[in-house]
Amino acid sequence: MRITIIIASLDKGGAQRVISILAREWAQMGHCVTLMTLDDGPSAYLFPSSVCRICLHLNHNSPNWLMALRNNLHCLLKLRRALQSTQPSVVISFIDTTNVLVLLALCGAAIPAIVSERVHPKYSEIAWPWKLLRRAVYGWASCLVTQSQAAMDFFTPRIRKHACIIPNPVPAFTEKRHHWEQTCRLVSVGRLVPVKQFDLLLSGFALALRDNPGWHLRIVGEGPLLNSLLRLRDHLQLQDHVEFLSNKDNICDVFRDADFFVSTSAYEGFPNALCEAMAYGLPVIAMDCPGGTSNIVRAGVDGLLVPLQDVHALATAISQLMRDPQLRFNFSIAAREIVERFSLTSVMEKWNQLILNVTGDAGAYNI
C-alpha cells in the first residue's frame, strides 16, 4: 500500500503529532509512506528513515487577492504533479485549507482521498472563500474524518454520508503519578491564545483562592497573550500564586508536582494536553466546550465538567478539588483508564479499516 500524507507544515502541533504516529505505525507495517508538506520548514517530530518526505516549497505570501489566486493555482499544479510522481494508493490530508487544495488537485483522478478536520470547523480561522470551497468540495472526498460528533454534525448530510469519527491516540506514560502528598498546585497547558481562555482560569482561581490560601497555579505555554495575562495576574494580586512557564519537552515534569489539571478552552478539536494529564493520573476540571470534552472527561468519575464561560462554576469546582484529597485520589485512579479508552491499537484499527474501506482491493491508482 502506498500511503501519501499531506499537511501544510510539520511544526509542533496536535495534527503533526498524530501524523508522526500514523507514519511510524504504517511504515512499521511495511507500507510505503510518503509525507508531503506544503512548506519546507523543519519537522518538530522524528520519522523513520523509510518515510519519504517531499517539501513542495509553497509557503508564499499573497499581498492581494490576485496574487493569492495565482499562488493557489501554482500550488494546485505543483501538488498534482507531486501526486503523479508518488502514485499513491490513498491520500490522507490534514487541516481545512490543505484539504481543499488536495481535493481540487485530485479532481478527476481515480485516487481515494481522506480529509481530516482537526478543530471544530465552526470555529476554524479560515477566510470565507475557503469556507465556501470547503463546503463545495468536501463531498468529493472518499471520507471525512473528524475527532468528535460535534465536529461532524457541523457538516451537511451530503458530507456526513461519507464521514467517520477517529479520536487521537493517548500515550501511555511509563511514569505515572505514584505519590499522593498534596503539593497545593494545579496546572494548565496550552498556547497563550484567546481560545484557551486563560483569563477565565485566572479569575476562577482567584475566587477559589479566597477560601483555600496557599495554593498555586502553573500555566505552561507560549503565545501572544503572555503580557496581557501577566497584567491580569498582577491586577488580581496573584503574583505569589501564579507562574507562567515556557513549553517543556517532557510533559511529565509539568504533571509530576501537580494535584490536578484544569482546561478552560472555548472549543477544541481533541484536547491532547487534557488527555495526557489524565493518562499521567491527574484529576481534571474542564469547561464543557464544543469538540467532545464531555466524551473525554466522565463527570464525577475522573473529573469535573463546568458550563462554558461560567467563572463561578469553575471556581466552585477548583475549590472542591482543593479541599477533597479523597476525591482527587478517586479521580486520579479512574483518569488513567483513558489510555485504554483511546489506545493506539484501537485508533490504528479505525484508520486501517477506513483505508481498506476506501481503497478496496484495487491496488495502486493512477492519475
Side-chain angles (χ1 to χ4, degrees):
M1 179 76 68
R2 304 177 69 88
I3 301 173
T4 295
I5 305 172
I6 305 178
I7 193 168
S9 69
L10 284 174
D11 54 3
K12 198 166 186 178
Q16 289 83 350
R17 184 182 73 86
V18 170
I19 285 174
S20 70
I21 294 171
L22 294 177
R24 182 191 67 226
E25 293 294 316
W26 284 327
Q28 289 177 352
M29 292 171 61
H31 296 304
C32 179
V33 180
T34 298
L35 184 54
M36 202 174 289
T37 57
L38 303 187
D39 75 357
D40 54 355
S43 172
Y45 299 88
L46 296 176
F47 294 89
S49 58
S50 58
V51 174
C52 174
R53 183 180 175 189
I54 298 176
C55 303
L56 298 180
H57 309 286
L58 297 173
N59 48 340
H60 302 298
N61 292 322
S62 302
N64 54 61
W65 70 268
L66 190 59
M67 284 296 296
L69 179 60
R70 177 184 174 183
N71 287 337
N72 283 315
L73 288 175
H74 172 70
C75 179
L76 289 175
L77 290 174
K78 194 165 185 178
L79 182 56
R80 187 175 179 89
R81 290 178 187 137
L83 290 170
Q84 285 176 327
S85 69
T86 58
Q87 292 292 299
S89 307
V90 62
V91 172
I92 304 173
S93 173
F94 284 78
I95 305 180
D96 39 41
T97 56
T98 303
N99 294 342
V100 171
L101 289 172
V102 167
L103 291 173
L104 289 172
L106 288 174
C107 183
I111 297 179
I114 299 169
V115 297
S116 179
E117 283 278 345
R118 310 310 294 178
V119 300
H120 195 300
K122 179 179 178 181
Y123 305 100
S124 58
E125 297 177 355
I126 57 175
W128 65 265
W130 289 105
K131 292 182 179 180
L132 292 178
L133 283 169
R134 179 175 62 183
R135 180 180 290 270
V137 305
Y138 266 25
W140 302 354
S142 302
C143 186
L144 164 67
V145 174
T146 65
Q147 298 169 286
S148 68
Q149 186 65 50
M152 183 182 291
D153 289 343
F154 170 84
F155 293 100
T156 63
R158 177 178 69 95
I159 296 174
R160 293 202 306 269
K161 185 178 179 180
H162 301 287
C164 67
I165 299 169
I166 304 181
N168 287 353
V170 176
F173 292 108
T174 54
E175 175 183 334
K176 295 184 183 295
R177 184 175 175 84
H178 59 274
H179 62 86
W180 304 104
E181 297 84 3
Q182 180 168 284
T183 62
C184 291
R185 182 177 291 117
L186 54 150
V187 66
S188 190
V189 177
R191 276 186 48 76
L192 307 183
V193 292
V195 64
K196 299 301 181 181
Q197 299 188 136
F198 287 122
D199 55 332
L200 300 186
L201 175 57
L202 290 173
S203 298
F205 176 70
L207 292 175
L209 196 64
R210 294 176 182 176
D211 298 322
N212 303 275
W215 280 77
H216 295 81
L217 165 64
R218 279 181 175 169
I219 297 177
V220 182
E222 300 169 352
L225 294 186
L226 175 60
N227 289 334
S228 64
L229 290 171
L230 287 172
R231 287 193 295 270
L232 177 60
R233 180 196 66 177
D234 296 348
H235 174 73
L236 295 171
Q237 299 182 345
L238 296 174
Q239 298 93 322
D240 296 332
H241 296 274
V242 176
E243 61 179 331
F244 288 84
L245 303 177
S246 60
N247 290 329
K248 291 180 175 289
D249 292 333
N250 186 3
I251 197 66
C252 291
D253 293 338
V254 175
F255 296 151
R256 187 177 297 116
D257 297 324
D259 289 294
F260 58 97
F261 181 95
V262 184
S263 172
T264 51
S265 295
Y267 62 87
E268 287 281 1
F270 192 87
N272 291 313
L274 173 68
C275 293
E276 289 173 355
M278 295 174 70
Y280 186 82
L282 287 183
V284 295
I285 298 172
M287 285 191 165
D288 191 3
C289 68
T293 304
S294 59
N295 294 328
I296 294 170
V297 179
R298 299 170 295 179
V301 176
D302 46 31
L304 299 173
L305 285 174
V306 299
L308 195 62
Q309 310 291 339
D310 193 332
V311 173
H312 290 282
L314 176 64
T316 299
I318 292 174
S319 293
Q320 185 178 358
L321 284 192
M322 284 176 169
R323 294 193 304 265
D324 196 335
Q326 184 61 50
L327 184 61
R328 296 199 305 269
F329 176 84
N330 295 341
F331 284 176
S332 176
I333 297 300
R336 295 178 184 173
E337 296 171 5
I338 196 170
V339 175
E340 284 72 42
R341 292 164 56 205
F342 301 105
S343 69
L344 175 58
T345 299
S346 65
V347 170
M348 289 306 303
E349 285 177 354
K350 288 181 172 66
W351 275 106
N352 292 336
Q353 185 60 53
L354 173 57
I355 290 175
L356 180 62
N357 290 344
V358 302
T359 61
D361 297 322
Y365 290 76
N366 296 318
I367 293 182

